[in-house]
């Protein structure tokens, strides 16, 4: 997890231009609604920076698409690992292509989560 740039809930709300007295609760609610990837570090809700379109103050649409596909067996930490490691299809980490190759990222993730079939 040390290689993933994380920000706290207050910083995430600021990036999203959300004014709230309860940033932790706001980000946790967004995570429950599969609108953002959240991790817990030292008891605090933290979010990876890679999922934010900082120029437009929003979460990349592909994040919601990936979270909708994600099976329960894939934790947020495992998902972050997959998104931040070099992938043969992109010659870089999928998260580096957010906003550019979204459909290809979703297709690659669908292949990644497909159950192994031995026969």
């Amino acid at each position: 997890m040390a290689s993933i740039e994380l920000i706290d809930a207050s910083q995430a709300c600021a990036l999203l231009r959300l004014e709230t007295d309860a940033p932790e609760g706001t980000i946790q609610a967004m995570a429950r609604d599969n609108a953002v990837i959240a991790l817990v570090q030292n008891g605090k809700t933290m979010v990876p920076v890679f999922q934010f379109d900082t120029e437009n103050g929003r979460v990349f649409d592909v994040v919601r698409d990936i979270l909708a596909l994600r099976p329960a067996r894939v934790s947020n930490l495992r998902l972050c690992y997959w998104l931040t490691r070099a992938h043969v299809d992109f010659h870089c980490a999928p998260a580096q292509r957010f906003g550019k190759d979204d459909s290809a990222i979703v297709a690659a993730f669908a292949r990644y989560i497909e159950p192994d079939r031995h026969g």
Side-chain angles (χ1 to χ4, degrees), residues 1-6 39 47-50 77 80-81 84-85:
M1 198 157 66
S3 64
I4 301 170
E5 184 181 354
L6 300 173
L39 302 168
V47 292
V49 174
F50 64 74
L77 184 58
C80 287
Y81 182 82
T84 58
R85 298 298 171 254

Side-chain angles (χ1 to χ4, degrees), residues 28-74:
Q28 288 174 354
M30 290 178 70
R32 280 190 303 274
D33 290 340
N34 284 332
V36 70
I37 301 166
L39 302 168
V40 176
Q41 185 179 52
N42 298 324
K44 290 178 61 179
T45 301
M46 304 294 285
V47 292
V49 174
F50 64 74
Q51 65 190 320
F52 294 101
D53 175 357
T54 55
E55 290 180 19
N56 297 306
R58 64 185 193 89
V59 176
F60 284 106
D61 293 335
V62 69
V63 172
R64 186 177 288 274
D65 297 337
I66 289 169
L67 289 171
L69 282 177
R70 182 187 60 168
R73 63 180 160 72
V74 176

